[in-house]
Amino acid sequence: MRLGAVALASVSLLALAPSGPPALPERLADTGGGSQLITAEAPRADATSGTLTWWDRRDGHWVRAGSAVARFGARGLVEGGSRRQSTNTTPTGLYGLPYAFGIRKAPDGTRIPYRRVHQGSWWCEDNASRSYNRWTEPRPADCRAAESEHLITYDPQYAYALVVGFNYDRPVRGRGAGIFLHVDGRGATAGCVSVPVDAMRRILAWVDPARGPHIAIGTTGGDIALTRY
């Protein structure tokens, strides 16, 4: 075979060769229909740490925009539809990101609606309250303080946070409230997903509500694998 023919054959084989496994979002059943996605992946259901990655959809493909070590609930992850409140578990599933909030001012470039935390800011987690799983300011009379989070007291965790739309649009009492993507504390969370403060700043400067961002939470494999969502 002539040298030119060998070169042409080599190029043809390279074109047919696989380029590696598809990016994680390409393997998800649903990504929410937007062009921004955050994936929070744990190696197994009982894990308390894993990887959070944020992705952009460009030219028909998902491209990684950044990643960070993530922490999950102290008792691991469970299917969001069957989760129970106060179990210290992180709900798996695909969720919207309604808005952001924080004790500190919004990082430069933040486009998502951002609420500053004040002394009177609470997240109501009282199952008996009409304000269940909602920001309240001030705390209403039917929302007991012992059953809610006084947001300003969670520093550094709520220095910056994104509300995860778990049990948010039509709250089911007892399923859980106050699930956020927020800044790391000292260890595992009570059910939220947390990342280092620098990663949280980068995420808030990146996320764009006009691009339909969602977060997918799950494990590498098994019944609550990310690829199911």
Side-chain angles (χ1 to χ4, degrees), residues 50-54 64 66-71 194-196 199-200 202-203:
T51 303
L52 186 126
T53 308
W54 49 107
R64 188 174 73 92
S67 66
V69 174
R71 292 174 179 170
S194 72
V195 293
M200 203 61 225
R202 285 186 286 148
I203 291 166

Side-chain angles (χ1 to χ4, degrees), residues 47-119:
T48 59
S49 63
T51 303
L52 186 126
T53 308
W54 49 107
W55 307 81
D56 288 307
R57 182 93 174 155
R58 297 177 184 166
D59 300 323
H61 298 283
W62 288 100
V63 179
R64 188 174 73 92
S67 66
V69 174
R71 292 174 179 170
F72 300 101
R75 296 185 63 187
L77 298 85
V78 297
E79 172 63 48
S82 59
R83 182 184 185 269
R84 302 303 299 169
Q85 188 161 322
S86 303
T87 55
N88 290 337
T89 53
T90 298
T92 62
L94 177 69
Y95 305 107
L97 299 165
Y99 63 92
F101 68 89
I103 295 170
R104 303 178 194 172
K105 70 174 185 177
D108 291 343
T110 299
R111 286 163 289 185
I112 193 166
Y114 188 91
R115 298 187 70 169
R116 285 295 297 272
V117 171
H118 304 291
Q119 186 63 36

Side-chain angles (χ1 to χ4, degrees), residues 68-200:
V69 174
R71 292 174 179 170
F72 300 101
R75 296 185 63 187
L77 298 85
V78 297
E79 172 63 48
S82 59
R83 182 184 185 269
R84 302 303 299 169
Q85 188 161 322
S86 303
T87 55
N88 290 337
T89 53
T90 298
T92 62
L94 177 69
Y95 305 107
L97 299 165
Y99 63 92
F101 68 89
I103 295 170
R104 303 178 194 172
K105 70 174 185 177
D108 291 343
T110 299
R111 286 163 289 185
I112 193 166
Y114 188 91
R115 298 187 70 169
R116 285 295 297 272
V117 171
H118 304 291
Q119 186 63 36
S121 306
W122 291 75
W123 196 273
C124 183
E125 299 180 4
D126 187 337
N127 283 281
S129 175
R130 290 171 294 178
S131 301
Y132 179 68
N133 202 20
R134 287 293 185 271
W135 175 298
T136 64
E137 192 173 324
R139 179 176 55 83
D142 73 342
C143 182
R144 293 169 292 173
E147 298 294 325
S148 302
E149 291 189 354
H150 191 194
L151 298 178
I152 204 165
T153 64
Y154 289 84
D155 194 358
Q157 292 95 323
Y158 297 162
Y160 308 107
L162 269 169
V163 177
V164 173
F166 165 74
N167 201 29
Y168 189 78
D169 291 337
R170 297 179 179 86
V172 175
R173 312 291 167 144
R175 183 161 291 170
I179 299 299
F180 312 125
L181 171 60
H182 63 67
V183 175
D184 281 340
R186 293 185 177 181
T189 73
C192 295
V193 180
S194 72
V195 293
V197 64
D198 287 345
M200 203 61 225

